[in-house]
Amino acid sequence: MLEILFMKHFPHRKKFALRLAVSLIVTYVAAIFYPVGFEAAYTAWYSSVMFFVLFAISVAAMAISFRISFTEALFCSFAAYTVQHITYGVIDLIISPIFDFRMSEEFYGSSPLNFSPSDASTWLVIFIYLAVEVLFYGLSYIMLSAKLKGKNSLKLRSTKIFIITTIVLIADIVLNSLVLYTDSAELKNVLLAIYNILCCFGILYILISLIVENDRNAELERMSEAIRQAHKQYAIQKETIKYINIKCHDMKYEIARLMKSGDKDAAAELNDMISIYDSSVKTGNEVLDIILTEKSLVCNKNKIKLSCIADNGVEIKINDGDLYALFGNIIDNAIDAVSKIDKVEKRCINVRIRKINDFVSINVDNYFVGELSYTDDGLPVTTKANAKDHGFGIRSIKAITESYGGTLSVVTKKDVFIISLLFPV
């Protein structure tokens, strides 16, 4: 039941009601007819195997009914199993000292719970059992449901899932079964020690995860601040480029006047002075024109050739500030790379924007020197000395790209670095 509640926000497969009904029937049939009733069945190892099998069947049942990945099914199933285990422990803790009633003996012994006497204590046990179950199931559903609501999928790292599930498997199934079916006080002490060790490892893992998460949040905050600053810079540059273009337009009239007056040398000198400020890049996109104009000034100063080819009518559906930050980071990284090259003919950056079916393709390539290393997610590691305070450019490129449903790939071919982005129209 808890598995269904935890997974209810995920997309359903076709004929969901039928799939779920059949899955539940199969699960309950497997639980009812699982071979028990013989002496070997009431041992820790047989009990562990039984619960492993039944758990696997329940996970498969949920995967058949809901459109979820294997890790998502494991996550929700183990969350449900853990809550069930906690509930069982709380019920046992409440009932045992009051009624001299052991949950393990009644539910996992050779005979089922006998309700035939129907005295007050029996009904009180049933009431406590149901009350605690409803309370814990309800609270866990509310807590987890708030996190899962509105999500169609969970982006979970498989390694973390398997670490957590391994701990849960050992604690919830194997050790629990050993405790239930052993009469040795020494063995129970050993098992208790193992429980403590596992709990400590679990807490340590959580603490380490919190540290990693804290570093990641700090990194995201710095990256977000960089993007916010890019938005402000875009507004400033927009007005600056507009002002420069107006002044260049006015200067052209002055050049024409000097040409007519016969002062060709002065006209030529004045034309050379304004040529680097008079942007010839016209992509049809105002944001790209501004960023390419701005970067052209930097490139001209550093003897770098920046070229851009864009298909007519290509529309990139990205917020102006984000688009400015995206191209600004890409071209800044390219400028930083080619600035280290001694050969002037290789100090060039090529930008290509085109429409391919229902996608907009953006490719930027440039030469580079040295060796590049990559992170686990395929991003190049910064070559700057203080890596902790750098490398946000490529990560912000990835973040912006993915936020608009795009994909990013980075490849190197000999001494050429190529970054490719693909956005859905």
Side-chain angles (χ1 to χ4, degrees), residues 2-4 6-7 55-63 68 70-84 144 165 168 172:
L2 265 179
E3 286 176 315
I4 297 172
F6 288 164
M7 295 184 192
F55 178 79
I57 292 172
S58 71
V59 173
M62 295 302 101
I68 52 178
F70 175 69
T71 53
E72 289 167 344
L74 269 183
F75 176 84
C76 292
S77 296
F78 270 97
Y81 198 96
T82 301
V83 172
Q84 183 183 27
L144 193 59
T165 54
V168 173
D172 282 2

Side-chain angles (χ1 to χ4, degrees), residues 9 11 47 78 99 122 140 189 211 214 264 277 329 334 379-380 383:
H9 296 300
S47 177
F78 270 97
F99 301 100
T122 301
S140 62
N189 287 333
I211 294 171
N214 185 63
K264 294 183 179 180
Y277 296 102
N329 280 312
L379 298 180
T383 56

Side-chain angles (χ1 to χ4, degrees), residues 105-403:
E105 294 173 1
E106 296 295 345
F107 287 106
Y108 302 108
S110 58
S111 61
L113 182 63
N114 182 14
F115 294 110
S116 57
S118 297
D119 56 13
S121 62
T122 301
W123 289 110
L124 187 56
V125 167
I126 295 172
F127 174 78
I128 294 172
Y129 182 93
L130 293 176
V132 173
E133 203 168 54
V134 170
L135 176 64
F136 275 82
Y137 284 16
L139 288 174
S140 62
Y141 168 69
I142 292 170
M143 292 169 60
L144 193 59
S145 178
K147 301 292 184 183
L148 295 177
K149 194 171 184 179
K151 294 181 182 292
N152 289 327
S153 64
L154 285 172
K155 293 183 178 179
L156 302 169
R157 293 188 177 182
S158 297
T159 52
K160 286 189 176 182
I161 288 296
F162 283 112
I163 289 172
I164 294 170
T165 54
T166 299
I167 294 174
V168 173
L169 275 172
I170 295 172
D172 282 2
I173 297 179
V174 179
L175 292 182
N176 188 58
S177 297
L178 288 170
V179 170
L180 290 177
Y181 293 105
T182 184
D183 296 324
S184 171
E186 291 80 3
L187 181 57
K188 285 188 176 182
N189 287 333
V190 171
L191 293 174
L192 181 61
I194 295 173
Y195 264 118
N196 289 335
I197 292 169
L198 283 175
C199 287
C200 290
F201 270 117
I203 292 169
L204 185 61
Y205 180 79
I206 291 170
L207 291 174
I208 293 171
S209 296
L210 286 174
I211 294 171
V212 173
E213 189 68 24
N214 185 63
D215 290 342
R216 188 180 293 114
N217 288 337
E219 179 182 301
L220 287 173
E221 181 56 36
R222 282 185 280 183
M223 189 169 64
S224 298
E225 179 59 27
I227 293 174
R228 283 195 292 270
Q229 291 300 324
H231 280 237
K232 293 179 182 179
Q233 182 67 17
Y234 166 67
I236 295 170
Q237 285 299 116
K238 183 178 180 180
E239 293 302 316
T240 302
I241 296 299
K242 182 179 179 181
Y243 179 77
I244 290 174
N245 286 336
I246 291 172
K247 288 301 180 182
C248 287
H249 185 73
D250 293 340
M251 293 297 287
K252 286 179 181 178
Y253 284 106
E254 182 64 20
I255 292 170
R257 187 188 67 77
L258 290 171
M259 290 291 287
K260 287 180 180 180
S261 65
D263 195 351
K264 294 183 179 180
D265 291 339
E269 183 179 354
L270 189 58
N271 188 62
D272 289 339
M273 288 174 62
I274 70 168
S275 61
I276 61 172
Y277 296 102
D278 188 17
S279 173
S280 59
V281 179
K282 300 295 179 185
T283 65
N285 184 297
E286 183 184 27
V287 180
L288 289 182
D289 291 347
I290 289 171
I291 189 68
L292 292 173
T293 298
E294 176 192 346
K295 300 307 176 184
S296 292
L297 300 177
V298 178
C299 289
N300 189 282
K301 179 182 177 181
N302 292 279
K303 296 180 181 180
I304 299 170
K305 181 182 178 182
L306 174 62
S307 63
C308 177
I309 301 175
D311 291 350
N312 291 327
V314 174
E315 184 181 0
I316 307 174
K317 293 186 177 180
I318 299 178
N319 173 278
D320 288 351
D322 287 342
L323 187 60
Y324 180 89
L326 181 73
F327 272 91
N329 280 312
I330 292 174
I331 298 175
D332 280 344
N333 287 344
I335 290 173
D336 183 65
V338 298
S339 296
K340 300 172 184 176
I341 301 174
D342 295 328
K343 294 182 179 179
V344 178
E345 62 271 17
K346 284 193 171 185
R347 302 181 75 166
C348 56
I349 302 168
N350 302 305
V351 181
R352 181 76 169 93
I353 306 169
R354 53 183 175 164
K355 184 178 179 182
I356 303 175
N357 297 325
D358 293 328
F359 294 89
V360 173
S361 170
I362 300 171
N363 290 280
V364 180
D365 64 77
N366 58 270
Y367 288 100
F368 72 97
V369 291
E371 295 292 332
L372 291 178
S373 57
Y374 293 86
T375 60
D376 293 337
D377 53 359
L379 298 180
V381 177
T382 180
T383 56
K384 294 180 180 178
N386 190 355
K388 185 177 180 180
D389 295 326
H390 296 285
F392 295 106
I394 191 68
R395 279 173 280 180
S396 66
I397 292 168
K398 186 176 187 292
I400 293 172
T401 301
E402 292 180 348
S403 69

